Amino acid sequence: MNQYIKMLKNKSYFLLILGQIISSFGSEMYLIALTLLVLKNNGKGSSISMLYIIMLIPSIAFGPFIGILVDRMSKKKLLITADLARGILCIVSILFIKNIVVLYIFIFMQSIFGVVFGPSLRTAMVKIVDRDKLTIANSLYAFLDNTSRLIGPSLGGILVIIIGYKSIFLINGVSFIIASIFTIFIRINEKISISEDAVIRSKYAEYLKNFKEGVSYINKSNLIKFVIIFFALAMISIGALSVLNVLIINDVLKYSSAQYGIIMGIYSGGLIFGSLIAGKIADKYNELTIMIIGVGIYGVFYIGFTSINLFFVTALFIFLNGIISSCIDISYETYLQKEVNEEMQGRVFSIDISIGNCITILSMGSIGFVSELCGVRTISLLLAIYLGILALVSYRFIKSNTLIKNKRMRWLE
């Protein structure tokens, strides 16, 4: 706990996460309100799918090229611009709250600035926090962010009834503006080697060249390439299982809606607890160890979650998987922050986010159809077993690959 308290004494880090936690609460309430609004106006599940697809498309379409801007421009300015733009867009969208088509356009534009924000935050963290403190910094941020994810949706659902959709939109917009104000007072040690105007005026061919440099950098780094591919393969299953949770709990295990709410709250509790202990685990094992073993354990726990129809056992396994999920995510992010060269981080992070969102759309979009053909329990067990096999194969690959093994892999010695 002392490590987290010391981390908060870093003024720039404190201001950064304070602003982002405020905006995260606003975003979680906004997402619930937005989902309910779209469902109310359309009444179809397909409209919700369209909403989430619209939110993900900008990352896939623009992410790799926005990464070039992140590498070449001031991270502080990008963070301020992204938060300020999202805040203004959200507030202005109140005028079109009854027109779903126009509202989708505003959501799309907000998502574009969200793509700017993501890699900017990850690269800024490296410049604000010492490298050996990154795991603690990411753990604390994840803890606070997961807490907002636990409280925000419930609060949003209640406030929609009390104060209405427009007020939620306004709260979210203001939260982004507050975050941008906090960022103004952050000190980030960065050197810009090229004028920002020149970066913005760069021709398409230059963007394409820089994007290829990012892909080439990943391809030439055996360990970074392995980690990105491993995580992407894991997300095929983990993303699909997150969709199957509701079907398993309601249709397979036959729990009530109230029990479903309790179980998902317990999962969020696991995420929060995992965020707290990730720093302690990182003191004993490196990030790659936690990722590979964590994915295998996640699969094992999910088999227990799917197979044993006792409420307290289900709750225990979902809590443990929440812990493991947090540890995997924090380790993955910390590993890339430590290992990727600073001048390439924007491009690598953006490519990584784009790959992740592509897989999320594919796995979440196809799993419903596949589960209807194979059965929910069957496909869930197969996906869980797949994670165990992936972890085992990855471990053996690391152990036998000299180019990767020589990269200070203490846990294999």
Side-chain angles (χ1 to χ4, degrees):
M1 188 60 68
N2 288 336
Q3 291 175 304
Y4 297 116
I5 295 173
K6 289 179 181 178
M7 184 57 63
L8 289 174
K9 292 180 180 179
N10 181 329
K11 182 181 177 181
S12 292
Y13 174 80
F14 175 75
L15 288 173
L16 179 65
I17 66 166
L18 180 60
Q20 298 319 310
I21 295 309
I22 291 172
S23 66
S24 182
F25 268 108
S27 295
E28 291 300 323
M29 291 190 292
Y30 172 71
L31 184 58
I32 289 295
L34 195 58
T35 302
L36 293 173
L37 178 65
V38 170
L39 196 59
K40 176 185 175 182
N41 287 338
N42 190 286
K44 296 180 180 179
S46 58
S47 62
I48 304 299
S49 297
M50 179 61 66
L51 171 64
Y52 284 94
I53 289 172
I54 286 172
M55 294 170 71
L56 288 173
I57 285 175
S59 172
I60 298 169
F62 308 118
F65 298 101
I66 286 176
I68 298 167
L69 298 180
V70 175
D71 282 333
R72 301 294 184 86
M73 297 179 69
S74 166
K75 282 68 177 174
K76 181 175 178 177
K77 290 182 180 179
L78 288 173
L79 288 171
I80 294 170
T81 301
D83 275 338
L84 190 60
R86 287 186 290 177
I88 293 172
L89 286 168
C90 189
I91 292 172
V92 174
S93 69
I94 294 173
L95 300 173
F96 307 94
I97 202 166
K98 294 183 179 180
N99 190 325
I100 292 298
V101 174
V102 177
L103 195 58
Y104 277 159
I105 295 172
F106 275 92
I107 294 166
F108 184 83
M109 290 190 291
Q110 288 180 60
S111 297
I112 292 175
F113 285 101
V115 177
V116 175
F117 178 84
S120 298
L121 176 65
R122 291 167 76 175
T123 54
M125 193 78 78
V126 178
K127 299 177 183 299
I128 291 173
V129 178
D130 293 336
R131 292 176 68 85
D132 61 339
K133 303 295 182 183
L134 277 171
T135 301
I136 297 297
N138 288 327
S139 296
L140 182 56
Y141 177 77
F143 165 72
L144 296 171
D145 188 51
N146 286 328
T147 301
S148 71
R149 293 175 188 274
L150 175 63
I151 300 173
S154 301
L155 189 59
I158 295 170
L159 289 179
V160 162
I161 299 173
I162 298 174
I163 62 178
Y165 296 105
K166 292 183 179 180
S167 297
I168 298 285
F169 278 44
L170 179 62
I171 290 171
N172 185 45
V174 171
S175 73
F176 277 123
I177 294 172
I178 291 172
S180 69
I181 293 171
F182 282 144
T183 307
I184 293 172
F185 301 99
I186 291 172
R187 299 180 66 179
I188 301 177
N189 299 319
E190 54 184 343
K191 296 180 180 179
I192 309 301
S193 59
I194 183 173
S195 73
E196 294 173 359
D197 289 340
V199 175
I200 296 171
R201 292 196 304 268
S202 296
K203 296 179 180 178
Y204 175 77
E206 294 178 53
Y207 278 100
L208 188 60
K209 177 185 175 183
N210 282 284
F211 168 66
K212 289 180 178 178
E213 287 176 357
V215 174
S216 177
Y217 175 83
I218 294 172
N219 192 50
K220 290 178 181 178
S221 175
N222 291 291
L223 197 49
I224 292 172
K225 179 172 64 176
F226 165 80
V227 168
I228 290 176
I229 292 174
F230 169 78
F231 195 76
L233 291 174
M235 285 307 299
I236 292 173
S237 178
I238 293 174
L241 289 174
S242 66
V243 175
L244 292 174
N245 279 341
V246 63
L247 297 176
I248 293 169
I249 293 170
N250 291 323
D251 298 342
V252 176
L253 301 178
K254 305 296 184 182
Y255 292 146
S256 66
S257 298
Q259 287 174 312
Y260 170 72
I262 292 170
I263 288 172
M264 297 316 295
I266 290 171
Y267 178 73
S268 297
L271 290 174
I272 293 170
F273 186 70
S275 303
L276 282 176
I277 67 171
K280 293 289 185 182
I281 295 175
D283 289 338
K284 297 182 179 180
Y285 306 99
N286 62 37
E287 292 83 14
L288 191 53
T289 309
I290 298 169
M291 275 186 281
I292 293 178
I293 295 178
V295 165
I297 294 174
Y298 188 99
V300 172
F301 285 164
Y302 209 91
I303 292 173
F305 165 71
T306 307
S307 304
I308 304 174
N309 194 354
L310 292 172
F311 183 77
F312 75 92
V313 176
T314 300
L316 174 62
F317 278 121
I318 202 72
F319 178 75
L320 293 173
N321 264 354
I323 294 173
I324 295 298
S325 183
S326 265
C327 292
I328 293 170
D329 289 342
I330 291 168
S331 298
Y332 179 64
E333 183 165 336
T334 303
Y335 175 82
L336 290 181
Q337 287 173 328
K338 286 182 177 180
E339 296 298 326
V340 176
N341 291 341
E342 288 190 13
E343 65 272 14
M344 298 297 297
Q345 285 182 351
R347 277 164 281 187
V348 172
F349 292 161
S350 296
I351 292 169
D352 168 54
I353 292 171
S354 296
I355 292 172
N357 285 337
C358 279
I359 290 173
T360 298
I361 289 177
L362 291 173
S363 63
M364 289 185 172
S366 62
I367 195 59
F369 175 74
V370 175
S371 65
E372 288 178 6
L373 292 177
C374 304
V376 175
R377 173 168 275 167
T378 299
I379 194 63
S380 298
L381 288 172
L382 288 175
L383 288 170
I385 292 169
Y386 161 80
L387 289 176
I389 294 172
L390 175 64
L392 180 61
V393 171
S394 298
Y395 173 84
R396 295 184 66 86
F397 174 76
I398 287 284
K399 196 171 182 179
S400 63
N401 193 305
T402 305
L403 290 175
I404 293 178
K405 184 179 176 182
N406 289 338
K407 296 284 287 185
R408 303 186 309 278
M409 299 308 300
R410 293 171 291 142
W411 61 288
L412 291 173
E413 293 177 356

